[in-house]
Amino acid sequence: MSGRLAIVGLGPGATDLLCPRAASALAAATDLVGYGPYLARVTDRPGQHRHGSDNRVEAERARHALALAAAGRTVALVSAGDAGVFGMAAAVFEVIEQGDPRWRELEVVVHPGVSAVLAAAARLGAPFGNDFCVLSLSDNLKPWPLILDRLTAAACAGFALALYNPLSKARPWQLGEALDRLRRHLPGTVPVAFARAISRPDEQVVVTDLATARAEQADMRTLVVVGTAETRIIRRPGHDPWVYTPRSVGRDRAQ
Amino acid sequence: MSGRLAIVGLGPGATDLLCPRAASALAAATDLVGYGPYLARVTDRPGQHRHGSDNRVEAERARHALALAAAGRTVALVSAGDAGVFGMAAAVFEVIEQGDPRWRELEVVVHPGVSAVLAAAARLGAPFGNDFCVLSLSDNLKPWPLILDRLTAAACAGFALALYNPLSKARPWQLGEALDRLRRHLPGTVPVAFARAISRPDEQVVVTDLATARAEQADMRTLVVVGTAETRIIRRPGHDPWVYTPRSVGRDRAQ
């Protein structure tokens, strides 16, 4: 089989946060596959075919991209942020493992991108300057009790948390329950940030603490950052505060 | 104060994995500050001042960059990968919090980059396609028992693991002990990958499992990836295998 599939992370949104390698893969494609609003971010090129879909059919989209590649096309499958972090990459490999054995002969390459967690962290300061966990609150693909267990284990062990998919119209209560769970185990003073649509024109950042954080402060485009007991907020008059987690634990700082 | 400090993630190494925004910040700087080998990656520009240092003096390097910015310079402080993930960003904010109060008036911006964890994941397939933790094994800045506790908590809760700073000449035994600890809690079949110098000319990837993984397979430029009980290896004759973690837990796949 001679087809090629590039799984491309588009980054958080701003054009200058798209890696040149990813941009080259997009330019080289004969066919672009992806969720409509993400495809809309990609520069139009004459002769390229676009195959948009809605957001709920990852496996179907992956199969479509693989079938095009198997037919000899040069396909770019796009994903927001980094395709390996709650993006399309895992869906493609799931489908390959269960699908046509000849798909394993295809050239499949994942092009990394700036994930939402890295973009949010950079915008805030350095909340993930020490150990951290990246966790999706969506219970579409895993049981809710498991998500609460992971949240508790990570928080109690002192990891900062990056929470993807905090809520949606179909999942309105999960973030509230997650914050309640965290309040049982962490001090109310732990910094919490809501980082929405980072690097996009409608970017919004709210820095608060665990005691006062409310689920209503997030939507489906928000990454929720929960610090640790050691995470610090540096206030600056007239500017957003900086949020950072020190590199050291239980030692003198700034050595 | 009119000075500016950009904290710039250079990505994993390949030129085409450097974000355009980061490249612009490097081009605009009057002064570049950083660890010598990272500075050497940055294109030479006439008139720019370079301030190299060795690897062990993060706080001193951060102070130097802030002092230059406070003197009105336009400074880029470089970091490998993403500056927010075990890079220079946290060091800068630590030094700001403890230092001259006027440093808070400086324009300090963190430019995100492709971290080693994202580059390694893309090279391997999608090992972080579900929840994961990013953890440094260096006990220079936190107690070793705490690191083992975090490792255990994350592994037992079902997170995949990205292990930074697995070992060095000064810390030769930590990775071996960490793997032994993981073997107590995870099946020996859990995939483990050693991803070294990803995207660099001397890139090396080894995919194995927890039962057979050995600390000697890593060095200080290696990111160690430990999957979960659900992480899969797709073998391909004549090619590196793909490693991925399914998006779902305890459900049918590829829906």
Side-chain angles (χ1 to χ4, degrees), chain A residues 11-38:
Chain A
T15 314
D16 61 356
L17 292 177
L18 172 69
C19 284
R21 185 176 293 186
S24 298
L26 296 172
T30 59
D31 294 76
L32 296 170
V33 179
Y35 172 47
Y38 299 155

Side-chain angles (χ1 to χ4, degrees), chain B residues 148-149 151-152 176-186:
Chain B
L148 284 180
D149 286 349
L151 202 61
T152 305
E177 204 169 303
L179 291 170
D180 284 341
R181 171 63 68 102
L182 291 171
R183 281 189 271 268
R184 281 200 234 160
H185 299 286
L186 295 175

